Amino acid sequence: FGGDIKDVINPDVWEEGVSSIRRLASEQQVPLQQNKYLKWLMENTEGVNVVDYLDETAETLDFSNMDLGNAPDLSRFNSLRRLTLNNCNLTELPSVDLLPSPNKISVFSFANNKIKRAPLPGYSDVLKLVFLFNLDENPIEYIDVEELNRLVETSGLSRFTYDDDIISKLSPENRKEFEKFLSDDDEVGYFAGV
């Protein structure tokens, strides 16, 4: 009849139940979004670290549609090749120290978030194999053109996707830099809004 379940059961029973649900969450062999035990933990307990429930040898991690707010620490996922954090309520890309090193990521997708700056400094130092960098549906206000150019040179980045109206959101100086970068890419045409 309303209220919190913790208010009506013994605290020891609550802790035992939460421990049992944590165990079940870690045993699940389903995509993150289908792990009902992990979802329950995130909704009903504090301090849930999603990556604690993942296989560190995973080559693909898809956090899509999970309200994370911040990118998780993926530094120990050295086999990671595809990282998807679409529609996760992220306000920024993961910093370099949250990414695995050495890094094998080839697909880096962050569509439909609240990211305003990209790419972050140092990405060209760790993203050595990335060929797709997806930023569709983000309110990008600044593009680090120098870092983007280094990504093209060091990793062979060939697809950088973003919204068509990105140009109008950039400052005049940044717009000029980005437009020059795009015109230099005209021969190849891999960088395009969607």
Side-chain angles (χ1 to χ4, degrees), residues 3-135:
D4 194 336
I5 194 164
K6 290 191 287 185
D7 297 336
V8 294
I9 65 170
N10 182 306
D12 292 336
V13 172
W14 170 260
E15 286 305 318
E16 185 179 328
V18 169
S19 291
S20 179
I21 292 171
R22 287 184 199 281
R23 182 181 44 75
L24 291 169
S26 65
E27 292 172 354
Q28 293 294 295
Q29 299 295 318
V30 296
L32 280 173
Q33 299 83 350
Q34 295 173 13
N35 187 332
K36 62 184 177 186
Y37 302 107
L38 180 58
K39 182 179 180 187
W40 186 91
L41 288 169
M42 291 175 72
E43 291 172 353
N44 295 286
T45 64
E46 298 290 321
V48 174
N49 187 355
V50 175
V51 296
D52 290 343
Y53 299 92
L54 302 175
D55 177 3
E56 289 183 17
T57 64
E59 291 187 6
T60 300
L61 291 178
D62 185 350
F63 297 91
S64 294
N65 302 312
M66 296 180 77
D67 189 4
L68 300 176
N70 296 311
D73 183 350
L74 303 170
S75 59
R76 62 184 191 232
F77 291 82
N78 292 325
S79 299
L80 190 58
R81 295 182 184 279
R82 182 182 185 101
L83 177 60
T84 305
L85 286 111
N86 297 336
N87 195 32
C88 291
N89 203 25
L90 300 178
T91 57
E92 57 187 28
L93 292 166
S95 60
V96 171
D97 61 318
L98 297 179
L99 298 175
S101 184
N103 189 298
K104 299 176 184 174
I105 298 173
S106 59
V107 175
F108 208 58
S109 185
F110 293 83
N112 197 26
N113 282 291
K114 299 174 183 176
I115 298 166
K116 294 184 178 184
R117 300 177 65 89
L120 294 183
Y123 269 28
S124 60
D125 295 331
V126 296
L127 294 174
K128 297 296 187 185
L129 301 173
V130 69
F131 73 87
L132 170 64
F133 198 130
N134 180 7
L135 291 168

Side-chain angles (χ1 to χ4, degrees), residues 159-177:
R159 298 291 296 169
F160 180 74
T161 59
Y162 51 88
D163 294 337
D164 277 338
D165 64 346
I166 193 172
I167 300 291
S168 66
K169 297 176 187 173
L170 302 177
S171 71
E173 306 83 38
N174 193 218
R175 181 181 310 131
K176 186 176 179 179
E177 283 180 296

